[in-house]
Amino acid sequence: MGRPASAVTGSRLDVARIREDFPILDQTVDGRPLVYLDSAASSQKPLQVIDAIRTYYLRDHANVHRGVHELARRATEAYEDSRARVARWVNAADAHEIVWTRGTSEALNLVAFSIGQARVGHGDEIIVSAMEHHSNLVPWQLLAERNGAKLRFVELTDAGRLDLDQLRDMLGARTRVVALPHVSNALGTINPVREIGRLVRGRSDAVLVLDGAQGAPHLAVDVQSLGCDFYAFSGHKMCGPTGMGALWGNRQLLEEMPPYQGGGEMIEHVYRDHSTWAEVPHKFEAGTPNIAGAVGMAAAADYLDGVDRAAIHEHEKSLTRRAISLLADVEGLRIFGPGALEERAGVVPFVIDGTSAQDVATILDAQGIAVRAGHHCAQLVVDRFQVSATTRASFYLYNTVEEVEQLAEGVRTARNVLLG
Ligand code: PLP
């Protein structure tokens, strides 16, 4: 159910055509056309995804795995086919390496809990960075507290990159886990994850966990060549439904890890005093799952592949280039993150000196422009750059150059209103 090839002309996206798939974008806010620049928080959903979920509920729904009847068979097939589809999205070797979760946060909590039980003890070290979304920080803090492990932080350079020299020096015999973002939601930095994988492998026996919440929706991810052990991502940031995500994991580690939650579906046999576990990945999926969510996430993968992921990435890059060049002309405006476009995703965080990021976002909203302001669940990032918040515009396949120009104009208006 992907887009026809006509959504791409040469290597350029036909954005007008793509926008027909996203009716939500065709509305006004206070009489102004909506300009949706908040896809890093959550992306919009095309009709193809909405239809897939609707069709599932209209025709195929029942509980999965347990039933022998026709609808149970269909629902199970839809659920497991979706797993295989999402496995292909990150080029996993086997669908059984995909564990369904509620999203990136739950995927990271699962790894922190289970790998923590299996591998992290008193005095062991867990390396994270000052770039983390709280979802890839708080679970590790909880683990460190529980098991008496030590959290260590890779700091950020002024350009918003990870300090890899520091990471190299930190890695050692005590390092049990390295958990880092593929792409920063607060800076837009695309981290050199292959290089990080080589570093971690070369200098430790640590497990490498990547937070792929902002990576999987925008970059071609190949978990077989990244050199990581776990990759976590969310459906709702890649045009799929909310409350749905996935964890890709190294099969051997998944086998080794204890379950995350107990309940139906995740057991092999239950005795009075103990239980044995179902095969991976079902061992990690207690209870009735979000079957429609899985169907929607697979439909989103179909849709984005149908458009062409490489062309989407190029489109986001060109919007980012335009945004940076226009915003750089606004007096007193500072943009965070790496200068080189190759190193950044379609995320442009900025502040205007002497104004509050929230006020800027509010004035943009009055012009129909949806952006986000705050610490973006990455408080260590705003602390590092000594601001309390940033205003963040983020782009996806359905955004246009005109919208970026409206953003720049809106930011100019905000500056004039706030600073005179
Ligand atoms: N990690 C990053 C980098 C994110 O941007 C987000 C969401 O904004 C998350 C993790 C958490 O994702 P979710 O809220 O879908 O669990």
Side-chain angles (χ1 to χ4, degrees):
M1 135 138 30
R3 287 295 307 162
S6 56
V8 179
T9 316
S11 63
R12 291 171 69 90
L13 292 193
D14 183 347
V15 181
R17 177 100 173 71
I18 286 168
R19 287 175 75 93
E20 289 170 13
D21 297 332
F22 293 85
I24 195 170
L25 297 174
D26 184 20
Q27 62 176 296
T28 54
V29 174
D30 286 341
R32 310 274 197 115
L34 169 68
V35 175
Y36 187 77
L37 302 180
D38 196 21
S39 294
S42 199
S43 64
Q44 298 300 348
K45 324 300 170 202
L47 288 169
Q48 289 80 345
V49 167
I50 297 166
D51 284 350
I53 294 169
R54 186 169 180 274
T55 303
Y56 166 75
Y57 277 129
L58 283 177
R59 213 182 51 193
D60 299 327
H61 174 70
N63 212 331
V64 288
H65 297 143
R66 294 172 260 226
V68 291
H69 59 78
E70 169 67 15
L71 290 192
R73 256 196 309 277
R74 272 195 236 154
T76 303
E77 199 175 294
Y79 184 63
E80 294 302 333
D81 285 355
S82 299
R83 192 192 304 276
R85 178 63 187 91
V86 168
R88 286 204 304 284
W89 180 253
V90 292
N91 199 33
D94 189 328
H96 290 90
E97 296 167 354
I98 294 289
V99 180
W100 291 121
T101 65
R102 283 190 295 129
T104 305
S105 303
E106 189 178 50
L108 293 168
N109 274 279
L110 187 164
V111 183
F113 178 85
S114 294
I115 207 76
Q117 295 258 98
R119 291 214 167 184
V120 180
H122 192 83
D124 285 339
E125 293 183 357
I126 300 162
I127 298 178
V128 292
S129 78
M131 197 187 274
E132 301 315 320
H133 186 284
H134 300 159
S135 291
N136 200 31
L137 173 56
V138 179
W140 303 111
Q141 288 176 339
L142 292 171
L143 169 62
E145 214 170 290
R146 227 171 21 241
N147 291 14
K150 185 175 169 197
L151 263 191
R152 301 190 69 187
F153 287 84
V154 179
E155 301 298 339
L156 304 185
T157 67
D158 289 342
R161 296 193 191 93
L162 295 174
D163 183 343
L164 294 190
D165 291 336
Q166 199 196 11
L167 171 62
R168 185 178 296 110
D169 292 343
M170 260 182 212
L171 290 163
R174 295 308 313 242
T175 318
R176 308 310 295 158
V177 175
V178 178
L180 296 169
H182 187 177
V183 175
S184 161
N185 66 308
L187 292 166
T189 316
I190 301 175
N191 289 314
V193 281
R194 274 192 184 76
E195 187 183 342
I196 290 170
R198 281 194 295 273
L199 259 184
V200 171
R201 294 268 172 274
R203 300 195 141 234
S204 72
D205 294 325
V207 165
L208 176 59
V209 181
L210 292 179
D211 169 354
Q214 301 291 342
H218 302 281
L219 303 169
V221 174
D222 177 355
V223 291
Q224 296 187 61
S225 73
L226 282 184
C228 64
D229 297 293
F230 295 97
Y231 193 93
F233 53 113
S234 298
H236 71 100
K237 294 186 197 284
M238 50 177 275
C239 297
T242 52
M244 194 62 205
L247 172 72
W248 170 80
N250 169 320
R251 180 74 180 255
Q252 228 175 310
L253 289 173
L254 290 174
E255 303 282 359
E256 181 191 320
M257 286 153 56
Y260 170 53
Q261 294 177 331
E265 293 285 322
M266 51 74 73
I267 51 87
E268 178 193 52
H269 202 93
V270 172
Y271 304 90
R272 286 209 166 200
D273 58 351
H274 77 286
S275 300
T276 55
W277 314 134
E279 295 286 307
V280 164
H282 306 292
K283 171 172 89 171
F284 296 105
E285 295 176 1
T288 301
N290 183 355
I291 309 160
V295 167
M297 194 162 166
D302 278 346
Y303 179 81
L304 292 170
D305 271 338
V307 172
D308 184 339
R309 283 166 93 177
I312 294 172
H313 183 57
E314 282 312 309
H315 177 67
E316 290 167 0
K317 246 165 66 180
S318 77
L319 297 179
T320 307
R321 181 187 301 114
R322 185 85 180 124
I324 290 175
S325 87
L326 290 174
L327 291 174
D329 282 346
V330 178
E331 201 186 326
L333 188 146
R334 282 187 287 148
I335 297 171
F336 299 90
L341 273 179
E342 283 60 42
E343 292 178 60
R344 69 183 303 154
V347 172
V348 181
F350 62 90
V351 294
I352 304 173
D353 288 334
T355 69
S356 115
Q358 278 82 2
D359 288 349
V360 172
T362 303
I363 295 171
L364 288 172
D365 177 51
Q367 300 167 74
I369 302 168
V371 295
R372 190 151 292 246
H375 53 56
H376 314 293
C377 297
Q379 231 165 325
L380 302 189
V381 172
V382 289
D383 289 351
R384 162 65 179 82
F385 290 98
Q386 298 180 327
V387 290
S388 58
T390 65
T391 307
R392 181 186 74 183
S394 52
F395 311 123
Y396 214 177
L397 70 163
Y398 38 66
N399 291 121
T400 63
V401 178
E402 292 72 29
E403 287 181 318
V404 171
E405 289 165 357
Q406 279 168 274
L407 167 72
E409 209 37 58
V411 169
R412 264 199 197 87
T413 303
R415 189 193 172 281
N416 292 341
V417 170
L418 295 169
L419 295 177

